[in-house]
Amino acid sequence: MAQIAVIAKENYPLYIRSTPMENELKFHYMVHTSLDVVDEKISAMGKALVDQRELYLGLLYPTEDYKVYGYVTNSKVKFVMVVDSSNTALRDNEIRSMFRKLHNSYTDVMCNPFYNPGDRIQSRAFDNMVTSMMIQVC
Amino acid sequence: METPAGGCCGSGPPLLLSEGEQQCYSELFARCAGAVSGAPGPGPPEAARVASGSATAAAGPVADLFRASQLPAETLHQITELCGAKRVGYFGPTQFYVALKLIAAAQSGLPVRIESIKCELPLPRFMMSKNDSEVRFGNSAELHGSKVPIPYLTTEKNSFKRMDDEEKQQETQSPTKSPLASPPSSPPHYQRVPLNHGYSKLRSGTEQMHPAPYEGRQPLVQSEVSSSGGPGAKPLRHQASLIRSFSVERELQDNNSSYPDEPWRITEEQREYYVNQFRSLQPDPSSFISGSVAKNFFTKSKLSIPELSYIWELSDADCDGALTLPEFCAAFHLIVARKNGYPLPEGLPPTLQPEYLQAAFPKPKWECALFDSYSESVPTNQQARELNRTEKTSVKDMTDFPVPTQDVTGDDKQVLKSTLNEVLPKDVPEDPVIPKDSNSLKARPRSRSYSSTSIEEAMKRGEDPPTPPPRPQKTHSRASSLDLNKVFQPSVPATKSGLLPPPPALPPRPCPSQGLANNSPQARSVLPLALSEQVSEAELPPQLNRAPSQAAESSPAKKDIPYSQPPSKPIRRKLRPESQPTESQEPSTAVGGPASGTSVKPHPTVQKQSSKQKKAIQTAIRKNKEANAVLARLNSELQQQLKEVHQERIALENQLEQLRPVTVL
């Protein structure tokens, strides 16, 4: 796992965490560009399919080094995951489950009355969960 | 963790212990070592030091001692690792002392780190099981350099005094040299460095011998302030067996232990205070405090928002955005601890877990009533004890403070239910829902919607206090009146203030209204009195011609309704077959009953009814016709209401449509 990012509805980041091995800026750019793809996928669904739209968007686009996966919630909060391409052992189901865990943890963060939606996520529980996920993948 | 890469030279700065600590540690060590090997001289520290240079604490007593510290197994594991016992391979005095110090730190709620032992720490507490060690512990007189183990129990004033005496003797010896310098165990040396800082501080203040915190239960503030230089922890090895024994013993001892100065354990007066605060926010102790309410409340504590956010994360175990009473107590306790300077724990301490709190402190309602006399300030021990006594007498065996059973929530739920049943029958429907919900949510089945609906249901039911459930029982006995019941239902809440809930609360409507409405027509048909009372209560009278008269009639006998209803039931049934032929003529219930019969008592009325059946029927016919007119009017009004409700529904649906997520960004 190279990076996990949580992006708000207005397309600003709520939470970004990368494995600190490489140039993080590059990852930030990748996440940013992936937002366009996310928007495209969402709009492609059309209004009629709002209910049926899957939260998991799947592989957004593969680069030679990395694969980018996306997931969007009903409140238009997006989760973006950048994974090393060399990590071939990672299957789609696992990615889905990881997104689900992310979503659950994000909901927990929202439940905290001291968290204002739109703030950066500073929850230790969320951090721990993300860390464990990244460790599990790498 | 300061794992020293080059853990060389035992000649590093020696582990500086205070005199008291020195004494305690050495005696503990001697006890542990002497228990098996009998080699080390347990006497004066220098002797112990000398002898302990080659002595190692045996596994058995060391394990016992660690177990007695009542720390979780993981913590003890950490301690044993940190003290270097693992690395060196045995429990030398160094490791032993460091471990003792770490135990003291852990018991004070500090993280198990080397840095923790830099600061002043109270004595580590070891709850020895009944055996002779307790006896020996409690004995102050014997302590002169003998093998008598140092009393670590709460009644430790004596020990401190004793240690004061010893101090003078040891002053020359203790400060610089500690047994730790001698053993070849190099790894622990890094520990000596930070320990030096801590202990130099400790040594300077002989006033650290204050036994203050160890008496009875005291608020956190006191315990923190008076944390004297407690003797360190004995480094103990043999973690595997130890840890197993730890977890077992710890569980056993947790039930019976009373460590008042353990920062994460809620004392009784603290508990009462928290319950009071809970009640000020939410009158029903078995219900939730919503997130926003709790946020406002906790913000008053002037802690920073991130810290409050973290505390919430820790305490809201089921992450439902609301706090039950145990969760609230845990959160409050954490806030109090934080304000007193304790660092927040990484995870929720076991003594603050909701299950533990619920098991330890069942919360009967009337018990809380006793607390209302309390001011906001934390009461003294004496008051607490007195209150506990009164609690216990008044609450019978509801409180289980001294020995919280570990039957956790099962018994507790029943306890709660039974107490609440006694006190507030109307809350019964809420209680089973809420405890069950909290427990199921704790398992985190991810059923958010479930939890929210349960809260809503509970809140909806909370809207119904004015209409007690018992009423509906009486109403169903009359088949003929059922139609009227349903007809009158909506109007009843409509007219009665507070009973007309907004559309979302529609479900509760039928119940109370049905009760009232059913009562009214039924009573009319059979018992003039009862009916009139019901009618007046339902405020239907205004809509009826006979309303004023009925109201007048009913008012005096209003109170008789509850009593009249049960006996009236069989009576009604008797009358039913009789009245059935007549009822065929009366589509609606015999409204004429009340008007004709102005009698006040239902019982004599009933008897007269049977005898005056025909008269009543005739009058009833007349009245029914009048009632018909009234009902027709009612009908139209209800139709109007129905239209309004429809419109509201449409409006809401529109809103919902608008609020749906827009797909185009």
Side-chain angles (χ1 to χ4, degrees):
Chain A
M1 171 87 45
Q3 190 177 50
I4 292 180
V6 178
I7 291 138
K9 175 176 176 179
E10 291 83 10
N11 288 337
Y12 62 86
L14 296 176
Y15 182 89
I16 297 189
R17 170 86 75 87
S18 328
T19 51
M21 52 182 180
E22 299 180 25
N23 186 4
E24 288 196 36
L25 195 58
K26 183 173 70 168
F27 289 124
H28 284 235
Y29 281 140
M30 290 182 70
V31 170
H32 196 264
T33 53
S34 67
L35 290 178
D36 285 332
V37 186
V38 171
D39 289 352
E40 187 189 321
K41 284 204 185 255
I42 294 176
S43 61
M45 297 276 191
K47 270 191 184 171
L49 298 175
V50 159
D51 290 338
Q52 305 156 22
R53 181 189 55 189
E54 265 221 12
L55 302 177
Y56 176 68
L57 299 175
L59 184 64
L60 296 178
Y61 68 94
T63 64
E64 57 191 44
D65 296 326
Y66 299 98
K67 293 187 260 193
V68 182
Y69 293 91
Y71 182 99
V72 72
T73 70
N74 280 326
S75 55
K76 294 283 178 301
V77 173
K78 305 160 193 80
F79 301 115
V80 175
M81 203 183 308
V82 179
V83 186
D84 212 3
S85 279
S86 54
N87 199 345
T88 52
L90 211 55
R91 288 171 304 139
D92 200 53
N93 284 343
E94 293 170 17
I95 306 270
R96 277 179 199 264
S97 69
M98 281 159 60
F99 273 128
R100 200 161 306 284
K101 273 199 284 184
L102 265 178
H103 197 172
N104 286 341
S105 302
Y106 178 73
T107 328
D108 285 345
V109 169
M110 293 295 267
C111 277
N112 191 331
F114 297 103
Y115 171 77
N116 301 316
D119 289 353
R120 303 199 77 111
I121 296 177
Q122 282 161 336
S123 148
R124 272 192 236 185
F126 192 82
D127 285 343
N128 294 342
M129 192 273 312
V130 169
T131 314
S132 68
M133 260 180 24
M134 296 181 80
I135 291 174
Q136 164 204 343
V137 171
C138 293
Chain B
M1 215 164 96
E2 311 165 18
T3 45
C8 67
C9 68
S11 61
L15 174 60
L16 296 177
L17 303 172
S18 72
E19 298 76 7
E21 287 179 321
Q22 195 78 20
Q23 178 72 7
C24 295
Y25 289 25
S26 57
E27 293 189 30
L28 277 174
F29 180 79
R31 187 170 154 273
C32 289
V36 177
S37 64
E46 73 272 26
R49 256 179 276 119
V50 168
S52 59
S54 53
T56 62
V62 156
D64 291 336
L65 191 66
F66 267 23
R67 237 175 283 141
S69 72
Q70 298 205 2
L71 292 173
E74 313 81 43
T75 312
L76 291 160
H77 191 91
Q78 266 182 306
I79 288 176
T80 49
E81 280 189 66
L82 272 180
C83 72
K86 249 190 183 167
R87 225 167 283 109
V88 184
Y90 58 84
F91 261 115
T94 318
Q95 296 75 36
F96 191 69
Y97 291 19
V98 171
L100 283 179
K101 197 92 176 117
L102 286 168
I103 285 181
Q107 285 175 336
S108 307
L110 304 171
V112 179
R113 299 273 181 276
I114 297 304
E115 303 84 2
S116 309
I117 46 188
K118 289 185 196 177
C119 39
E120 301 189 4
L121 291 168
L123 286 172
R125 292 165 297 281
F126 299 98
M127 174 69 95
M128 292 300 178
S129 50
K130 46 276 178 180
N131 55 24
D132 55 342
S133 52
E134 251 188 83
V135 174
R136 286 193 279 157
F137 275 5
N139 197 337
S140 61
E142 302 176 81
L143 195 118
H144 294 277
S146 65
K147 283 193 186 180
V148 174
I150 295 168
Y152 274 86
L153 299 183
T154 56
T155 59
E156 288 203 67
K157 271 186 185 165
N158 302 331
S159 66
F160 285 106
K161 288 179 195 155
R162 179 184 8 98
M163 287 191 279
D164 278 325
D165 298 335
E166 298 291 336
E167 266 176 33
K168 297 160 197 167
Q169 301 173 18
Q170 303 160 20
E171 251 170 17
T172 55
Q173 313 140 1
S174 55
T176 52
K177 296 292 191 271
S178 71
L180 311 170
S182 44
S185 57
S186 42
H189 97 288
Y190 67 88
Q191 297 162 351
R192 294 190 211 128
V193 178
L195 284 171
N196 286 343
H197 304 292
Y199 288 135
S200 53
K201 274 191 279 172
L202 296 172
R203 273 190 303 123
S204 57
T206 55
E207 71 275 7
Q208 301 145 8
M209 310 314 275
H210 290 326
Y214 295 102
E215 255 214 349
R217 300 170 198 194
Q218 303 202 349
L220 273 177
V221 182
Q222 293 187 26
S223 59
E224 185 199 13
V225 165
S226 56
S227 66
S228 53
K234 297 182 191 171
L236 297 173
R237 304 284 179 102
H238 317 280
Q239 303 131 11
S241 58
L242 287 181
I243 287 166
R244 264 177 256 125
S245 51
F246 295 150
S247 41
V248 169
E249 286 262 0
R250 180 184 129 250
E251 282 180 30
L252 293 173
Q253 287 163 357
D254 265 349
N255 292 339
N256 307 319
S257 69
S258 54
Y259 285 172
D261 47 352
E262 200 177 274
W264 305 125
R265 195 173 285 268
I266 298 183
T267 66
E268 284 190 32
E269 58 266 22
Q270 287 172 340
R271 171 83 184 191
E272 292 149 17
Y273 178 61
Y274 300 155
V275 172
N276 264 347
Q277 294 298 311
F278 186 93
R279 279 167 59 80
S280 72
L281 294 175
Q282 162 69 271
D284 182 4
S286 64
S287 166
F288 297 96
I289 288 187
S290 74
S292 47
V293 171
K295 173 179 179 180
N296 292 336
F297 181 74
F298 287 137
T299 313
K300 291 190 221 161
S301 70
K302 306 240 177 12
L303 285 180
S304 66
I305 295 292
E307 287 189 352
L308 287 171
S309 174
Y310 182 58
I311 287 176
W312 176 280
E313 257 186 44
L314 284 178
S315 58
D316 190 7
D318 43 9
C319 287
D320 57 355
L323 295 180
T324 61
L325 182 58
E327 289 174 346
F328 177 84
C329 291
F332 211 122
H333 198 76
L334 286 168
I335 288 180
V336 168
R338 186 76 190 101
K339 293 214 76 126
N340 288 326
Y342 281 90
L344 289 176
E346 296 289 326
L348 193 64
T351 53
L352 289 181
Q353 299 277 351
E355 298 87 2
Y356 178 87
L357 287 176
Q358 251 184 348
F361 298 103
K363 34 196 188 294
K365 262 198 165 170
W366 58 75
E367 182 190 11
C368 302
L370 290 173
F371 304 155
D372 287 340
S373 56
Y374 266 21
S375 61
E376 290 236 347
S377 59
V378 180
T380 62
N381 294 343
Q382 211 176 3
Q383 273 185 13
R385 280 186 224 116
E386 286 170 2
L387 185 74
N388 288 342
R389 270 180 248 123
T390 57
E391 287 167 21
K392 283 166 189 167
T393 55
S394 67
V395 177
K396 294 159 195 173
D397 52 352
M398 289 297 299
T399 53
D400 210 5
F401 292 88
V403 185
T405 62
Q406 285 232 335
D407 291 342
V408 196
T409 49
D411 294 339
D412 200 46
K413 257 192 276 181
Q414 293 163 14
V415 157
L416 278 176
K417 280 185 199 171
S418 57
T419 60
L420 291 166
N421 282 340
E422 288 180 65
V423 178
L424 287 174
K426 60 187 175 249
D427 288 336
V428 165
E430 301 178 38
D431 300 333
V433 171
I434 291 159
K436 278 184 212 153
D437 284 344
S438 63
N439 289 333
S440 64
L441 289 171
K442 274 164 199 154
R444 297 289 308 265
R446 276 288 129 204
S447 53
R448 285 258 157 68
S449 55
Y450 171 61
S451 68
S452 58
T453 52
S454 64
I455 296 171
E456 288 167 18
E457 288 170 49
M459 288 167 63
K460 281 182 206 170
R461 291 197 193 108
E463 293 175 21
D464 297 337
T467 59
R471 284 214 190 147
Q473 303 163 7
K474 309 149 194 167
T475 65
H476 295 299
S477 59
R478 298 283 300 190
S480 64
S481 59
L482 276 181
D483 293 337
L484 262 188
N485 294 344
K486 286 175 195 161
V487 169
F488 282 120
Q489 275 169 29
S491 62
V492 170
T495 53
K496 202 163 189 180
S497 64
L499 263 196
L500 178 61
L506 267 172
R509 237 197 236 178
C511 300
S513 57
Q514 189 168 29
L516 291 171
N518 286 343
N519 284 338
S520 48
Q522 279 184 357
R524 265 193 226 139
S525 62
V526 182
L527 297 170
L529 178 72
L531 173 61
S532 59
E533 293 170 8
Q534 297 305 327
V535 170
S536 66
E537 284 186 68
E539 293 186 0
L540 287 175
Q543 305 166 9
L544 301 167
N545 296 334
R546 299 172 312 288
S549 60
Q550 281 178 356
E553 296 163 4
S554 60
S555 51
K558 207 170 195 176
K559 293 146 199 165
D560 293 345
I561 283 193
Y563 307 103
S564 69
Q565 293 290 353
S568 70
K569 257 192 190 169
I571 295 161
R572 279 187 209 145
R573 293 209 183 89
K574 271 192 241 162
L575 295 168
R576 232 197 239 171
E578 295 169 359
S579 63
Q580 264 175 7
T582 62
E583 278 179 353
S584 62
Q585 308 165 18
E586 310 158 18
S588 55
T589 56
V591 181
S596 62
T598 57
S599 58
V600 179
K601 274 143 199 171
H603 304 284
T605 310
V606 170
Q607 294 161 6
K608 289 177 200 169
Q609 193 77 2
S610 54
S611 60
K612 295 180 191 170
Q613 190 67 25
K614 290 174 187 171
K615 272 193 209 169
I617 291 169
Q618 285 162 5
T619 51
I621 292 171
R622 255 177 280 134
K623 302 301 172 183
N624 277 341
K625 285 185 188 158
E626 294 174 38
N628 271 342
V630 174
L631 288 172
R633 229 183 302 150
L634 261 181
N635 190 17
S636 58
E637 286 178 23
L638 290 172
Q639 292 291 334
Q640 190 63 29
Q641 277 186 5
L642 182 62
K643 279 182 209 161
E644 288 169 19
V645 169
H646 275 309
Q647 283 168 2
E648 282 182 54
R649 181 183 156 216
I650 291 169
L652 283 173
E653 279 180 359
N654 281 340
Q655 280 183 14
L656 186 65
E657 275 300 315
Q658 289 164 13
L659 287 173
R660 283 208 175 168
V662 184
T663 53
V664 179
L665 292 173

